[in-house]
Amino acid sequence: MRAVDLIEKKVQNQELSTEEITFLIHGFIAGTIPDYQMSALQMAILFNGMTDRETYDLTMEMMRSGEIIDLSSVRGIKVDKHSTGGVGDTTTLVIAPLVAACGGTIAKMSGRGLGHTGGTLDKLESIPGTRVEMPLHKFAETVNKIGVAVIGQSDRLVPADKKMYALRDVTATVRSIPLIVSSIMSKKLAAGTDAIVLDVKVGSGAFMRNLEEARKLSRRMVTIGRRNGKKVVAVITDMNQPLGMAVGNALEVREAVEMLSGRIPEGDPLYEVCMLLGSYMLMLSELASEPESARQKLKEALESGKGLEKLQQMISAQGGDPSFLSMDRIDELCEVKEIRPIYSEAEGYIASIDTEKIGSAAQMLGAGRAKKDDRIDPAVGLVMKKRLGEYVRRDEPLCMMYINNPEKAEAAVIEFLEAFTFSNEKPPVEPVVYDIIGE
Ligand code: URA
Ligand code: CA
């Protein structure tokens, strides 16, 4: 078999056999298939797609490229939640402790920020002392003791994805459905949990730009998870604006603490997405039988302060200082040289927000990495002051920017302002949740 013939086959839009996919992944990991051939193959997959069978085979082969985590020493139904990547999406920091406070078992392996999207590990590390690396036995022990731990994926988990993603990131091949499905599900299957709630984002800040694509992505992930004996539900949620108001690492931790302190009202998009994802996590954990009773449980854990307490316990177990995680001290994590209001250049209703640009603006301030080895500045980012459909006057700020490096701020301000379009008429309000796949 030769890689070039298999690339040609995909260019001709033909189906690759199981053996051919195995050959490609093995060869790539072994180094006999070079980066340029894998890049070309991924580009052909982006254009011509893959059948369900090919996507399944690719996922399984990628999963087998590394370590399969054994979490059998963790008691109970282990449930995970995974987002396809968004902006201002601090849901994990809210629902992991909230679901644990309701009796759920969360042994979660998270990722770092990718491109314009944020990553849970970077947010956790903005809390002084917090470690996201932990030996597996300690991870299992922590989850058995307090019900929750969130750590980084080890380098041994799906090395094929690490190498393939690094190429996708620089060859404009991230947004391919079979490549996203296999990237996410190979890691989820290798990570050893029993149940997974997928948060599939759709909109201007997500890899999926329309609902039909998001449904297709969701159905494929649910099918692959179930074929491997996992309980899986996918929720399709809106990413046509940042989910919460905060975009940036410590700023998103602060918003999670606000939510867990009861400062964010019902009906708010962040509140509603947290409740929905949390509800399905409780149902898959067999701790609730339908969405209403699950939501009630989560509300009780929120209002009693048990959710916030659980987040503090989790951070403490991971070496962090939990005293920052209260409304009294949380502002200390967000201290920067300058907090600058960014004023609207136009007047009118906000008609659209290019959410990817909002994420990029935060990244430019230092909240994300442009290159893999860049250091993140935990305190910088932005806090939105307006949402889609709101009326803005010229003298009203669209956001507050948290700046440590004024030189970086100029480009970030331009990027941020370019994200908005305005209209004289009030645009219709879009839903926060579009669909649930696999109920
Ligand atoms: N998140 C991943 O882990 N992989 C993708 O391909 C996209 C989002
Ligand atoms: Ca995320």
Side-chain angles (χ1 to χ4, degrees):
M1 244 186 262
R2 293 193 315 164
V4 63
D5 300 324
L6 304 184
I7 298 167
E8 174 64 18
K9 208 169 161 185
K10 198 31 76 184
V11 168
Q12 299 296 337
N13 201 9
Q14 290 164 12
E15 193 174 354
L16 297 171
S17 70
T18 306
E19 294 69 33
E20 287 166 339
I21 288 171
T22 301
F23 170 82
L24 288 163
I25 297 301
H26 279 198
F28 182 54
I29 289 300
T32 53
I33 294 176
D35 286 357
Y36 51 80
Q37 284 187 314
M38 181 51 77
S39 299
L41 178 72
Q42 294 192 128
M43 188 59 84
I45 293 171
L46 176 91
F47 280 109
N48 286 330
M50 279 186 141
T51 63
D52 285 343
R53 205 223 84 244
E54 286 176 296
T55 310
Y56 182 79
D57 288 343
L58 178 61
T59 307
M60 299 311 284
E61 204 50 61
M62 286 172 69
M63 178 192 84
R64 286 190 286 261
S65 72
E67 188 177 15
I68 313 282
I69 310 277
D70 177 5
L71 290 180
S72 54
S73 62
V74 177
R75 293 183 296 272
I77 300 174
K78 295 164 282 291
V79 64
D80 194 356
K81 164 260 162 190
H82 189 87
S83 147
T84 57
V87 176
D89 172 15
T90 192
T91 49
T92 295
L93 294 179
V94 174
I95 46 188
L98 210 48
V99 169
C102 294
T105 303
I106 295 111
K108 181 161 171 52
M109 294 193 183
S110 277
R112 299 209 173 265
L114 297 172
H116 69 281
T117 68
T120 301
L121 298 184
D122 299 323
K123 296 172 203 175
L124 287 172
E125 283 178 349
S126 70
I127 306 162
T130 309
R131 285 188 309 266
V132 297
E133 269 139 45
M134 213 189 257
L136 204 58
H137 71 273
K138 175 91 194 307
F139 179 53
E141 209 179 284
T142 307
V143 178
N144 277 331
K145 206 159 114 201
I146 64 172
V148 58
V150 179
I151 62 166
Q153 288 150 9
S154 93
D155 287 340
R156 298 182 300 278
L157 193 87
V158 194
D161 178 60
K162 279 221 166 55
K163 274 188 91 177
M164 289 167 76
Y165 197 94
L167 296 178
R168 286 165 63 205
D169 204 23
V170 293
T171 55
T173 47
V174 171
R175 65 178 88 251
S176 147
I177 290 176
L179 295 181
I180 295 175
V181 168
S182 53
S183 166
I184 292 177
M185 292 310 291
S186 61
K187 287 178 289 195
K188 292 292 116 182
L189 296 177
T193 56
D194 307 305
I196 309 153
V197 177
L198 295 162
D199 182 7
V200 175
K201 305 286 191 189
V202 61
S204 65
F207 297 123
M208 295 295 105
R209 293 295 160 98
N210 68 62
L211 190 51
E212 266 331 291
E213 284 187 340
R215 286 202 174 102
K216 192 169 165 190
L217 182 81
S218 302
R219 282 194 288 265
R220 285 202 181 181
M221 292 199 290
V222 169
T223 305
I224 290 174
R226 288 185 179 168
R227 267 185 76 177
N228 280 275
K230 311 284 183 189
K231 301 200 251 183
V232 194
V233 171
V235 175
I236 303 178
T237 64
D238 183 68
M239 195 34 71
N240 283 306
Q241 61 184 326
L243 178 61
M245 299 305 256
V247 184
N249 296 287
L251 294 169
E252 290 185 44
V253 173
R254 178 167 73 185
E255 194 165 33
V257 169
E258 283 167 0
M259 169 89 193
L260 290 170
S261 304
R263 304 275 178 118
I264 293 180
E266 264 189 278
D268 180 276
L270 177 63
Y271 187 106
E272 291 306 320
V273 171
C274 285
M275 284 294 163
L276 188 70
L277 295 172
S279 294
Y280 279 96
M281 287 171 80
L282 287 183
M283 287 188 282
L284 295 188
S285 304
E286 296 171 11
L287 292 166
S289 51
E290 29 80 41
E292 291 72 28
S293 60
R295 188 179 168 108
Q296 197 47 42
K297 278 197 163 147
L298 292 166
K299 273 183 79 168
E300 281 163 24
L302 184 75
E303 286 162 11
S304 64
K306 289 205 173 83
L308 181 61
E309 226 169 88
K310 193 56 83 177
L311 178 66
Q312 291 163 344
Q313 278 176 23
M314 177 184 112
I315 291 303
S316 195
Q318 297 189 210
D321 181 348
S323 71
F324 287 106
L325 302 176
S326 66
M327 289 315 297
D328 291 337
R329 290 202 64 194
I330 191 73
D331 283 342
E332 291 174 39
L333 300 186
C334 308
E335 273 169 19
V336 287
K337 292 209 180 95
E338 182 194 353
I339 300 175
R340 187 189 303 177
I342 306 301
Y343 294 99
S344 175
E345 291 180 321
E347 193 158 316
Y349 294 100
I350 300 177
S352 71
I353 300 177
D354 183 340
T355 310
E356 181 168 350
K357 282 192 187 294
I358 305 288
S360 297
Q363 183 188 12
M364 287 173 183
L365 291 168
R369 296 176 192 79
K371 298 190 300 300
K372 194 166 98 293
D373 299 322
D374 288 351
R375 272 181 67 91
I376 280 189
D377 183 339
V380 301
L382 52 95
V383 177
M384 302 287 287
K385 288 288 158 196
K386 295 282 175 184
R387 296 196 76 91
L388 270 181
E390 273 189 74
Y391 194 83
V392 201
R393 291 190 319 260
R394 236 177 262 271
D395 56 352
E396 283 185 297
L398 288 167
C399 82
M400 303 300 281
M401 256 187 203
Y402 283 60
I403 298 166
N404 269 331
N405 182 340
E407 275 162 42
K408 288 183 179 166
E410 303 316 316
V413 170
I414 293 169
E415 184 81 1
F416 176 81
L417 287 172
E418 273 177 8
F420 294 82
T421 67
F422 296 89
S423 144
N424 292 327
E425 274 138 65
K426 196 172 164 57
V429 181
E430 300 289 339
V432 177
V433 177
Y434 296 102
D435 205 355
I436 298 167
I437 306 287
E439 251 177 304

